[in-house]
Amino acid sequence: IEHLITAHRSLLANASHELRSPLARLRMAIDLYERSPSEATKREIVRNLAEVDELVDEILLENTQPLDLLALVTEEGARLQIPVSGTPAQIMGDPRLITRLVRNLMQNALRHGARPVTVGVAPTPDFVRLSVEDHGGGIPESEGERVFEPFYRPAGRGETSGGWGLGLSLVRQIARHHGASVRLETSKSGGARFVVDFPYPESR
């Protein structure tokens, strides 16, 4: 119970940290709108308000239910123009949190890897496997665990280029919250390949 409480607190801390980005953009957009009102700035304010609302729902409300992982991943892939392939497979999870996990992995591949990014969902005898891989320069195997640390910065990357924020740290927290595991591999192309193994529903 103590372990679950600690994990849940860590999940909430990481998720709430993500609120800072849309809130910062919102403050800037409001300041800009006050100086020079425009429809474009107004749309930006509305968009960031919607993102804040979505994040608050993810943090405060948990709604575990049966999910078709392939359908959820395909929808997110369409939004980011990333192809998704695989076989329909059911898991138990909170759709908002699982969507956040998938989105963070895809955005991480786009920001720090290189297209093409490929995503797959495949049932195995023991797990439902989600894989996200890119065609970037990859990450050294020696840093395979550190990549999930908050604000991880690959070796040789300068201070000015920034770290990786909390995206992958939150991915691991969400995975663990759902009884899943996540790991980093090297893809056949030499890029990064992230693999998440979700347990099957107990009633399966």
Side-chain angles (χ1 to χ4, degrees), residues 70-93:
L70 179 62
L72 184 150
V73 174
T74 299
E75 182 176 348
E76 193 62 26
R79 194 180 73 86
L80 296 174
Q81 298 182 320
I82 294 175
V84 176
S85 62
T87 304
Q90 191 175 89
I91 64 170
M92 292 295 295

Side-chain angles (χ1 to χ4, degrees), residues 124-138:
T124 74
D126 300 312
F127 303 100
V128 177
R129 179 160 294 168
L130 166 68
S131 62
V132 178
E133 61 181 84
D134 62 63
H135 283 68

Side-chain angles (χ1 to χ4, degrees), residues 14-183:
N14 284 348
S16 62
H17 188 281
E18 290 208 346
L19 282 168
R20 295 181 183 180
S21 292
L23 285 174
R25 293 196 302 268
L26 188 58
R27 283 194 295 268
M28 292 177 61
I30 291 174
D31 289 343
L32 181 61
Y33 188 80
E34 289 178 345
R35 293 196 301 268
S36 178
S38 71
E39 284 301 314
T41 306
K42 186 176 181 180
R43 287 194 298 270
E44 178 69 9
I45 291 173
V46 172
R47 186 183 68 81
N48 283 291
L49 281 172
E51 185 175 347
V52 170
D53 187 57
E54 179 183 345
L55 282 167
V56 169
D57 279 347
E58 291 178 6
I59 295 168
L60 298 180
L61 302 175
E62 183 171 352
N63 180 25
T64 301
Q65 59 186 267
L67 299 174
D68 182 339
L69 184 61
L70 179 62
L72 184 150
V73 174
T74 299
E75 182 176 348
E76 193 62 26
R79 194 180 73 86
L80 296 174
Q81 298 182 320
I82 294 175
V84 176
S85 62
T87 304
Q90 191 175 89
I91 64 170
M92 292 295 295
D94 184 311
R96 290 179 295 267
L97 291 177
I98 298 299
T99 297
R100 174 64 55 179
L101 177 149
V102 172
R103 182 179 303 165
N104 283 4
L105 286 176
M106 290 183 176
Q107 290 179 338
N108 179 78
L110 293 174
R111 291 172 182 169
H112 304 290
R115 289 186 185 269
V117 174
T118 57
V119 180
V121 174
T124 74
D126 300 312
F127 303 100
V128 177
R129 179 160 294 168
L130 166 68
S131 62
V132 178
E133 61 181 84
D134 62 63
H135 283 68
I139 301 170
E141 291 185 7
S142 60
E143 299 189 51
E145 279 297 311
R146 291 197 57 224
V147 73
F148 296 103
E149 296 176 2
F151 308 106
Y152 159 81
R153 179 179 291 108
R157 184 167 176 151
E159 292 285 340
T160 57
S161 60
W164 285 20
L166 284 168
L168 291 178
S169 175
L170 185 57
V171 164
R172 173 162 279 185
Q173 290 293 335
I174 293 173
R176 287 176 172 172
H177 189 67
H178 288 81
S181 64
V182 58
R183 65 183 181 276

